[in-house]
Short mmCIF file of all heavy atoms in Angstrom, two decimals:
data_model
loop_
_atom_site.label_atom_id
_atom_site.label_comp_id
_atom_site.label_asym_id
_atom_site.label_seq_id
_atom_site.Cartn_x
_atom_site.Cartn_y
_atom_site.Cartn_z
N TYR A 685 26.48 -23.00 -12.53
CA TYR A 685 26.49 -24.09 -11.55
C TYR A 685 25.12 -24.74 -11.36
O TYR A 685 24.96 -25.56 -10.46
CB TYR A 685 27.05 -23.61 -10.21
CG TYR A 685 28.56 -23.62 -10.20
CD1 TYR A 685 29.28 -22.44 -10.33
CD2 TYR A 685 29.28 -24.81 -10.12
CE1 TYR A 685 30.67 -22.43 -10.35
CE2 TYR A 685 30.66 -24.82 -10.15
CZ TYR A 685 31.36 -23.64 -10.26
OH TYR A 685 32.73 -23.65 -10.29
N GLY A 979 39.61 -18.49 -5.16
CA GLY A 979 39.46 -17.53 -6.26
C GLY A 979 38.65 -18.12 -7.40
O GLY A 979 38.02 -19.16 -7.26
N THR A 980 38.70 -17.42 -8.51
CA THR A 980 37.97 -17.85 -9.71
C THR A 980 38.97 -18.11 -10.82
O THR A 980 39.95 -17.36 -10.97
CB THR A 980 37.03 -16.72 -10.18
OG1 THR A 980 36.27 -16.28 -9.07
CG2 THR A 980 36.10 -17.17 -11.28
N ILE A 981 38.72 -19.16 -11.59
CA ILE A 981 39.57 -19.41 -12.75
C ILE A 981 39.19 -18.40 -13.82
O ILE A 981 38.05 -18.39 -14.29
CB ILE A 981 39.41 -20.85 -13.27
CG1 ILE A 981 39.89 -21.82 -12.18
CG2 ILE A 981 40.16 -21.05 -14.59
CD1 ILE A 981 39.81 -23.28 -12.56
N ILE A 1006 38.36 -27.65 -6.94
CA ILE A 1006 37.80 -26.88 -8.06
C ILE A 1006 36.38 -27.40 -8.30
O ILE A 1006 36.18 -28.58 -8.55
CB ILE A 1006 38.66 -27.05 -9.33
CG1 ILE A 1006 40.08 -26.53 -9.05
CG2 ILE A 1006 38.04 -26.30 -10.52
CD1 ILE A 1006 41.12 -26.96 -10.05
N LEU A 1007 35.42 -26.49 -8.13
CA LEU A 1007 34.02 -26.89 -8.30
C LEU A 1007 33.70 -26.92 -9.79
O LEU A 1007 33.71 -25.89 -10.45
CB LEU A 1007 33.08 -25.91 -7.59
CG LEU A 1007 33.33 -25.65 -6.10
CD1 LEU A 1007 32.22 -24.77 -5.54
CD2 LEU A 1007 33.40 -26.95 -5.33
N LYS A 1008 33.45 -28.12 -10.30
CA LYS A 1008 33.11 -28.23 -11.74
C LYS A 1008 31.67 -27.79 -11.96
O LYS A 1008 30.85 -27.87 -11.05
CB LYS A 1008 33.29 -29.69 -12.18
CG LYS A 1008 34.74 -30.13 -12.20
CD LYS A 1008 34.87 -31.60 -12.48
CE LYS A 1008 34.44 -31.95 -13.90
NZ LYS A 1008 34.47 -33.39 -14.17
N PHE A 1009 31.39 -27.35 -13.17
CA PHE A 1009 30.01 -26.93 -13.44
C PHE A 1009 29.05 -28.11 -13.41
O PHE A 1009 27.94 -28.01 -12.91
CB PHE A 1009 29.90 -26.24 -14.81
CG PHE A 1009 30.61 -24.91 -14.86
CD1 PHE A 1009 31.35 -24.55 -15.97
CD2 PHE A 1009 30.52 -24.03 -13.79
CE1 PHE A 1009 31.99 -23.32 -16.01
CE2 PHE A 1009 31.16 -22.80 -13.82
CZ PHE A 1009 31.90 -22.45 -14.94
N ILE A 1014 37.08 -31.31 -8.49
CA ILE A 1014 38.47 -31.74 -8.74
C ILE A 1014 39.28 -31.37 -7.51
O ILE A 1014 39.33 -30.20 -7.11
CB ILE A 1014 39.05 -31.03 -9.98
CG1 ILE A 1014 38.22 -31.38 -11.22
CG2 ILE A 1014 40.51 -31.38 -10.15
CD1 ILE A 1014 38.60 -30.57 -12.46
N GLY A 1045 39.54 -30.90 -17.39
CA GLY A 1045 38.23 -30.73 -16.73
C GLY A 1045 38.01 -29.34 -16.17
O GLY A 1045 36.87 -28.96 -15.89
N VAL A 1046 39.09 -28.55 -16.00
CA VAL A 1046 38.86 -27.21 -15.45
C VAL A 1046 38.25 -26.32 -16.54
O VAL A 1046 38.48 -26.54 -17.73
CB VAL A 1046 40.15 -26.55 -14.90
CG1 VAL A 1046 40.71 -27.31 -13.73
CG2 VAL A 1046 41.18 -26.34 -15.99
N ALA A 1047 37.51 -25.33 -16.10
CA ALA A 1047 36.88 -24.43 -17.07
C ALA A 1047 36.92 -23.00 -16.55
O ALA A 1047 36.98 -22.77 -15.33
CB ALA A 1047 35.43 -24.84 -17.32
N LYS A 1048 36.90 -22.08 -17.49
CA LYS A 1048 36.85 -20.66 -17.14
C LYS A 1048 35.64 -20.41 -16.24
O LYS A 1048 34.57 -20.97 -16.51
CB LYS A 1048 36.72 -19.88 -18.44
CG LYS A 1048 37.12 -18.45 -18.37
CD LYS A 1048 37.23 -17.93 -19.80
CE LYS A 1048 37.33 -16.45 -19.84
NZ LYS A 1048 37.59 -15.95 -21.19
N ASN A 1049 35.82 -19.60 -15.23
CA ASN A 1049 34.78 -19.23 -14.26
C ASN A 1049 34.48 -20.31 -13.21
O ASN A 1049 33.57 -20.14 -12.40
CB ASN A 1049 33.47 -18.80 -14.92
CG ASN A 1049 33.63 -17.50 -15.68
OD1 ASN A 1049 34.43 -16.66 -15.26
ND2 ASN A 1049 32.95 -17.34 -16.78
N ASN A 1050 35.24 -21.43 -13.23
CA ASN A 1050 35.12 -22.37 -12.11
C ASN A 1050 35.57 -21.66 -10.83
O ASN A 1050 36.52 -20.88 -10.84
CB ASN A 1050 36.03 -23.59 -12.30
CG ASN A 1050 35.41 -24.67 -13.18
OD1 ASN A 1050 36.10 -25.57 -13.63
ND2 ASN A 1050 34.12 -24.59 -13.42
N ILE A 1051 34.88 -21.98 -9.73
CA ILE A 1051 35.27 -21.42 -8.43
C ILE A 1051 36.21 -22.42 -7.76
O ILE A 1051 36.00 -23.63 -7.81
CB ILE A 1051 34.02 -21.21 -7.54
CG1 ILE A 1051 33.10 -20.16 -8.19
CG2 ILE A 1051 34.39 -20.81 -6.13
CD1 ILE A 1051 33.66 -18.76 -8.24
N VAL A 1052 37.24 -21.86 -7.14
CA VAL A 1052 38.23 -22.71 -6.47
C VAL A 1052 38.16 -22.42 -4.98
O VAL A 1052 38.19 -21.26 -4.57
CB VAL A 1052 39.65 -22.40 -6.98
CG1 VAL A 1052 40.66 -23.38 -6.38
CG2 VAL A 1052 39.70 -22.44 -8.49
#
Side-chain angles (χ1 to χ4, degrees):
Chain A
Y685 278 104
T980 309
I981 296 181
I1006 299 165
L1007 305 186
K1008 291 173 67 184
F1009 292 139
I1014 299 172
V1046 297
K1048 201 167 167 173
N1049 293 327
N1050 276 166
I1051 296 293
V1052 185

